[in-house]
Amino acid sequence: MTNTGALDADAGGRPYASPLRRAQAQTTRAAVLDAAAALFVRDGYLRTTMKAIANEAGTSVETVYAQGSKGALLLACIDRALGGDDADVPLTDREAFAAAFARPSAEATIEAFVRAMTDVAIRAGGLLVAFEDAATADAGTAELWAAAEQDRRKDLRRLVEAVADRGPLAHGW
C-alpha cells in the first residue's frame, strides 16, 4: 500500500513539508530547552536528569532525547541565552555588538560593548556557571568550555582592536 499523501523527492515529486508540524516541533524544542535551562541553573548540570527535564517540559523522556544528549541540550541552552534567540549568529555579530563596534569614539565603543555584555551576562550567567561545572566532570564538555573561552578571548581582542583603531582614550579612561 502506498502513501499518496507524501511524494518522494527522489522520484521527482515535491518533498513533504508541513508548516504546522514544523511549528509544533519548534514549540516542543523550545519547551525542552526552557525546562533544561531552568534546571541547569537551579540544580546544576550534574544533578539535572533527562527525566527531570521531561517532567519540567511536560513531555516524554524520549522527546527530550530526540532533542539531543544532555550535553547538547546544555550547549543549545547556552547558545539561546547568549544570543537571546535561536538564530545561529556569532555573539559579536549581533545587533548590540555591531552597534558598539560602529561607535565613533573608543569610549562610546567600550560603553556600548559593556552594556551588550551586561545583557548577555543577565541572560546567560547561570548557564555559564552550569557549563563550567559540567566541564570539571566531563572531558568532552571541558574541550567545549576551552573552545568557548577561546571565542571569548577573540571577542575581547576584537573590542581591543576596535578601541585601538579609534585612537587614544580620553583622559580618565
Side-chain angles (χ1 to χ4, degrees):
M1 184 168 173
T2 37
N3 180 354
T4 58
L7 296 175
D8 182 11
D10 294 334
R14 290 181 318 157
Y16 173 77
S18 168
L20 177 60
R21 186 174 175 104
R22 185 174 28 260
Q24 289 170 332
Q26 289 172 341
T27 299
T28 298
R29 180 163 178 78
V32 168
L33 292 177
D34 289 345
L39 292 171
F40 290 146
V41 170
R42 188 186 78 205
D43 300 337
Y45 178 79
L46 297 176
R47 287 185 299 280
T48 298
T49 65
M50 297 297 261
K51 182 178 180 181
I53 295 169
N55 289 340
E56 184 81 11
T59 191
S60 70
V61 175
E62 292 79 12
T63 298
V64 173
Y65 275 107
Q67 307 306 313
S69 67
K70 189 167 110 171
L73 291 176
L74 175 63
L75 294 177
C77 290
I78 290 166
D79 285 346
R80 284 174 88 215
L82 288 174
D85 58 34
D86 290 321
D88 188 20
V89 177
L91 185 64
T92 55
D93 289 345
R94 290 178 168 275
E95 185 178 328
F97 290 96
F101 291 129
R103 297 294 174 114
S105 72
E107 296 82 6
T109 299
I110 293 168
E111 287 174 345
F113 189 92
V114 168
R115 275 194 304 277
M117 284 304 296
T118 300
D119 291 342
V120 168
I122 290 166
R123 285 192 310 265
L127 283 168
L128 292 172
V129 169
F131 186 18
E132 186 175 20
D133 288 345
T136 64
D138 177 66
T141 306
E143 289 177 20
L144 295 171
W145 175 259
E149 283 293 297
Q150 289 299 319
D151 288 344
R152 187 180 62 81
R153 286 185 185 103
K154 286 179 199 171
D155 292 344
L156 292 175
R157 187 173 305 114
R158 186 173 173 195
L159 171 65
V160 169
E161 289 168 356
V163 168
D165 288 346
R166 284 156 182 78
L169 290 168
H171 182 71
W173 275 84

